[in-house]
Amino acid sequence: MFIYVDASAKRDGDGSKKRPFKQINSAAKIANPGDVVEVAPGTYREYVNPLQAGHEDARIVYRSTQPLGAVITGAEVLKGWKLYEGNTWTVRVKNSLFGSYNPYTTLVYGDWYFAKADKHTGCVYLNDEAMYEASTMEECLKGEVYPYSWVPEKSIYKWYTEQDPETDETVFYANFQGMDPNAENVEFNVRRECFFPAETGRNYITVSGFKICKAATTWAPPAAFQDGMIGPHWSKGWIIEDCEISHSKCAGISLGKYLDPENDHFFTYHRVKSPTQMERDAVCRGQFHGWLKEKVGSHIIRSNTIHHCEQGGIIGRMGGVFSVIEDNHIHHINNMMELGGAEIAGIKMHAAIDVLMRRNHVHHSTMGIWCDWEAQGTRITQNLLHDNQKPDFAGKLAGSMMSMDLFVEVGHGPTLIDNNILLSDVSLRFATQGVAMVHNLICGALTCVGDGTGWRYTPYHMPHRTEVMGFMTILHGDDRFYNNIFVQKYPSEPIRTRRDSTDEYDEENREVGTFMFEDYPTYEEWIKRFGFDKPADMMACEPAHFDHLPIWSEGNVYLAGAKASRHEKAGLVKEGEVKVELREKDGSFVLDTNIYELIGEFRDRMIHTDLLGAAFEPNQKFESADGTPITFDTDYFGDHRDADVMPGPFAGADAVGKELL
């Protein structure tokens, strides 16, 4: 059955083509498996709460009849401004508008939030751009540049809020820098979500072609309820496609966690257990709450544009397992730098078990892609990542994280990173083990090697399942590097920066290459320590059981001062001036480089699953999610890589100058 919705209809109807509903949520109340909800262009200021689930062979489809023509927004127009002082205006809103959730009394705060908790989940927007929240009236009146912003010229537009308990009103003040707000489009977010089922288990729903924006989402760490402007809420089989998703206070798309009151922001509220302990609890409690392949995950997130969200473009703890995230354009995430903590990235996934992230374009974000805990069976392939680094002019917000293209943290693997173009000054933050990097162009450093994990006993799982196989701390190592190109594109001097929310400082490496693994054993050195030429002796093996795992490295190219480790076999180290520049061309990007002139006739062998072996703890091969082996005979574009195997993400040098998107 087709159900019709049209915001411009003369009056609300019954969902028929002749008498359409005026609200999408009216359709969401009656849509059943196999139904298609056709939504006409218009602005829908509402919260959509699907009541029924679809079936695998009879999905419920919500479709904008005109691509991006139907806008679902969590915001309302804010009218009636009066001049207060200088460039600052004021207006009052009755709190009854907000119901049980007032974004202007709710702070962004919780587990793993490190910045000062002085920002609300609410926001004021001037002509579709978020204004910056002032912590004091004085700051609002002055309207000065916010020193941490990546876009400082925008940061002079300020807003400030107070509560008037006598009238039960939220009072807004905003510095519009000489503009008349009554003559401009000024909005403020009111609703917490835009399209998000209130109950779990609303399976097999498709959302296609909508513009979704301006919701007052909350901080979404892994041991807490994770809301987003849109998401399946602990369901299975959603498709979110061809949407534009922007201006969430925290998360754009959530593939994450249900509300578990006994483990919701546990550290923040109770403090008596370490936050990493609560992560382990979340995994085990999740299995009690149905964290199984048959019940949760297997979503498709494709061909969306996601931008200007201040925590993450796509986030999720456990609920995104077995999903495909492909062909998305994710950019300008956390650029306001009002929020700071350990959950911020273009894509931030915990337990991305068998998640495939491919052909995504991620740029100008505090971090590009962050796979935290249990990146087991995760494959990151054919992605373009660049400019995921703090501009030199921007200060570092106390509590904010370092920037990089990729961050893989406290997992046991197998994590496969292949055929990517990594152009930021840090390519991979390496606080993990069990990673294979194959056929990448790597222009930034590998940082945090062997560091940043402490004694974090992390679960690993039965291959291609969620059931926990065991727990182990991160030993580091068990990593493979095959047929990559390393380029020292940026200065090699280390960077010193303030750590999290403390007054201590960290120094991070900026030298490129595999040399950071110099002290790790080869496989032959490692296996020898277990004394197979002698009777088994548990105590004698104990030092090796808690020491670094081995490293494999072959066929890599090191240019412009990039450094190889002693593990390198059949590699190429070559000096000479290297050019690697990304140029915009007709709305796409091309790579301008002389790399292949320097490589010349250097070649290596074809890489495949059997050559890579298995990640140590789960004893799982670097293979596809369905358990089939991978031969790396296709490149970044999907073109065939023949027997003359060139290192890097391209099958041949003729790819230089070809549009990357």
Side-chain angles (χ1 to χ4, degrees):
M1 182 174 76
F2 283 86
I3 304 170
Y4 296 90
V5 182
D6 189 345
S8 63
K10 190 172 182 179
R11 61 184 302 174
D12 198 17
D14 56 9
S16 64
K17 191 170 186 178
K18 186 176 181 180
R19 299 181 62 242
F21 290 127
K22 288 180 72 71
Q23 291 189 322
I24 303 169
N25 198 51
S26 298
K29 291 178 179 179
I30 66 169
N32 287 305
D35 288 349
V36 177
V37 179
E38 295 273 10
V39 183
T43 299
Y44 297 84
R45 299 186 186 276
E46 58 175 305
Y47 161 55
V48 182
N49 174 24
L51 295 186
Q52 282 77 234
H55 299 157
E56 187 172 6
D57 59 352
R59 310 180 66 83
I60 299 176
V61 177
Y62 295 81
R63 183 168 59 210
S64 173
T65 59
Q66 175 183 307
L68 306 183
V71 180
I72 308 173
T73 176
E76 298 288 341
V77 175
L78 193 51
K79 298 179 179 179
W81 291 90
K82 297 178 181 179
L83 188 62
Y84 176 74
E85 181 181 326
N87 290 322
T88 299
W89 298 63
T90 187
V91 69
R92 289 171 170 260
V93 174
K94 295 290 185 182
N95 284 336
S96 59
L97 174 69
F98 304 115
S100 61
Y101 175 74
N102 186 338
Y104 304 95
T105 59
T106 306
L107 292 172
V108 178
Y109 185 56
D111 290 358
W112 302 101
Y113 189 79
F114 300 142
K116 185 178 179 181
D118 61 353
K119 299 295 184 286
H120 292 91
T121 60
C123 188
V124 178
Y125 303 90
L126 173 61
N127 297 328
D128 292 321
E129 292 190 351
M131 300 176 70
Y132 285 64
E133 183 175 2
S135 300
T136 65
M137 177 67 80
E138 180 184 15
E139 182 186 343
C140 184
L141 291 169
K142 286 183 176 179
E144 295 176 343
V145 168
Y146 180 61
Y148 311 111
S149 173
W150 289 22
V151 195
E153 66 274 14
K154 303 289 187 181
S155 70
I156 60 175
Y157 297 91
K158 309 282 190 183
W159 67 275
Y160 173 70
T161 187
E162 293 177 341
Q163 291 296 306
D164 186 337
E166 292 186 4
T167 61
D168 193 26
E169 291 176 320
T170 295
V171 186
F172 292 94
Y173 303 88
N175 189 329
F176 294 103
Q177 297 295 340
M179 300 174 71
D180 178 356
N182 294 312
E184 307 294 334
N185 177 29
V186 180
E187 297 175 279
F188 67 126
N189 58 14
V190 173
R191 288 168 288 279
R192 185 170 177 174
E193 297 117 1
C194 293
F195 196 112
F196 197 93
E199 302 295 329
T200 62
R202 299 303 183 257
N203 303 331
Y204 299 110
I205 288 175
T206 295
V207 182
S208 182
F210 291 87
K211 185 174 182 179
I212 298 169
C213 61
K214 303 187 184 91
T217 50
T218 60
W219 182 248
F225 169 62
Q226 294 182 312
D227 66 343
M229 291 197 298
I230 180 173
H233 192 193
W234 205 248
S235 300
K236 183 175 181 179
W238 275 46
I239 298 174
I240 302 173
E241 62 184 4
D242 300 316
C243 293
E244 181 181 354
I245 297 164
S246 70
H247 296 95
S248 174
K249 188 56 181 261
C250 289
I253 297 175
S254 170
L255 303 179
K257 196 169 166 291
Y258 56 94
L259 175 62
D260 183 356
E262 295 180 24
N263 191 25
D264 194 55
H265 295 286
F266 186 96
F267 175 79
T268 297
Y269 298 135
H270 303 287
R271 304 191 184 187
V272 293
K273 289 185 180 180
S274 78
T276 58
Q277 177 63 25
M278 301 320 298
E279 299 309 309
R280 287 182 283 272
D281 284 7
V283 171
C284 295
R285 293 175 68 86
Q287 296 205 307
F288 176 79
H289 287 280
W291 189 38
L292 294 169
K293 188 173 186 177
E294 292 75 18
K295 294 184 177 181
V296 177
S298 298
H299 308 300
I300 298 174
I301 312 298
R302 64 186 173 204
S303 303
N304 302 288
T305 297
I306 307 169
H307 60 97
H308 293 94
C309 300
E310 292 309 308
Q311 177 184 334
I314 303 171
I315 60 100
R317 175 53 154 141
M318 301 192 296
V321 290
F322 314 112
S323 294
V324 176
I325 301 173
E326 63 184 3
D327 299 308
N328 299 288
H329 183 196
I330 303 173
H331 61 96
H332 295 92
I333 302 297
N334 191 230
N335 284 189
M336 295 175 75
M337 289 302 297
E338 290 191 313
L339 311 184
E343 309 306 323
I344 291 173
I347 302 173
K348 174 69 193 282
M349 298 287 289
H350 285 76
I353 296 173
D354 282 356
V355 172
L356 175 61
M357 306 182 195
R358 66 183 171 196
R359 300 191 302 267
N360 299 290
H361 180 202
V362 186
H363 61 97
H364 291 93
S365 299
T366 299
M367 291 189 196
I369 299 174
W370 185 351
C371 293
D372 199 350
W373 288 63
E374 306 143 279
Q376 182 170 328
T378 307
R379 186 178 184 186
I380 302 171
T381 182
Q382 298 172 316
N383 301 285
L384 171 62
L385 295 102
H386 61 93
D387 291 293
N388 297 306
Q389 57 205 39
K390 181 180 72 65
D392 291 338
F393 58 74
K396 186 176 187 297
L397 175 70
S400 64
M401 304 296 288
M402 298 291 284
S403 294
M404 60 215 68
D405 280 336
L406 304 175
F407 187 3
V408 183
E409 186 178 14
V410 287
H412 299 286
T415 306
L416 178 57
I417 302 170
D418 69 282
N419 288 301
N420 299 285
I421 300 173
L422 309 175
L423 300 180
S424 300
D425 71 346
V426 173
S427 291
L428 174 60
R429 193 173 178 91
F430 222 116
T432 193
Q433 67 185 47
V435 172
M437 300 192 77
V438 183
H439 280 291
N440 301 286
L441 172 58
I442 301 170
C443 290
L446 308 180
T447 66
C448 207
V449 171
D451 195 11
T453 57
W455 287 93
R456 295 204 212 180
Y457 280 90
T458 309
Y460 50 96
H461 302 263
M462 300 299 295
H464 309 298
R465 299 288 304 181
T466 58
E467 291 87 342
V468 173
M469 180 189 291
F471 290 81
M472 184 55 183
T473 190
I474 304 302
L475 301 176
H476 300 280
D478 193 25
D479 300 315
R480 296 114 171 110
F481 303 91
Y482 286 92
N483 293 0
N484 301 287
I485 300 174
F486 293 92
V487 180
Q488 185 72 59
K489 174 177 168 63
Y490 298 94
S492 60
E493 291 75 21
I495 288 182
R496 188 170 183 264
T497 185
R498 179 178 290 176
R499 179 190 303 169
D500 297 340
S501 56
T502 72
D503 290 328
E504 298 180 37
Y505 283 80
D506 289 321
E507 187 172 275
E508 282 218 339
N509 163 64
R510 286 299 183 272
E511 293 179 290
V512 175
T514 56
F515 73 98
M516 297 293 287
F517 294 92
E518 190 72 17
D519 295 333
Y520 286 65
T522 64
Y523 176 80
E524 291 74 20
E525 292 166 342
W526 175 75
I527 198 68
K528 186 177 180 181
R529 296 185 65 184
F530 296 96
F532 285 99
D533 57 339
K534 305 173 185 176
D537 185 337
M538 288 185 182
M539 297 307 295
C541 290
E542 187 173 274
H545 285 152
F546 291 92
D547 206 351
H548 290 330
L549 297 167
I551 298 295
W552 292 262
S553 191
E554 179 189 312
N556 300 291
V557 174
Y558 303 84
L559 302 176
K563 298 179 180 180
S565 73
R566 67 184 180 89
H567 306 84
E568 185 63 45
K569 296 180 180 179
L572 173 67
V573 179
K574 195 166 185 178
E575 297 298 326
E577 186 174 343
V578 179
K579 180 180 182 181
V580 183
E581 300 296 337
L582 192 66
R583 292 190 293 103
E584 192 166 0
K585 177 183 177 183
D586 299 330
S588 186
F589 291 88
V590 298
L591 200 64
D592 188 1
T593 182
N594 65 340
I595 284 175
Y596 296 100
E597 297 170 21
L598 294 170
I599 290 176
E601 299 302 315
F602 176 79
R603 300 290 187 271
D604 193 52
R605 58 177 166 163
M606 186 71 72
I607 309 303
H608 52 81
T609 289
D610 289 342
L611 177 62
L612 295 177
F616 176 69
E617 294 292 357
N619 194 30
Q620 179 178 332
K621 291 184 176 182
F622 292 84
E623 60 192 6
S624 299
D626 62 3
T628 57
I630 300 170
T631 298
F632 294 88
D633 58 359
T634 54
D635 73 353
Y636 171 89
F637 294 107
D639 292 337
H640 182 67
R641 183 177 277 126
D642 60 24
D644 190 34
V645 179
M646 178 180 288
F650 303 139
D654 58 350
V656 175
K658 187 176 177 180
E659 291 187 359
L660 297 175
L661 302 172

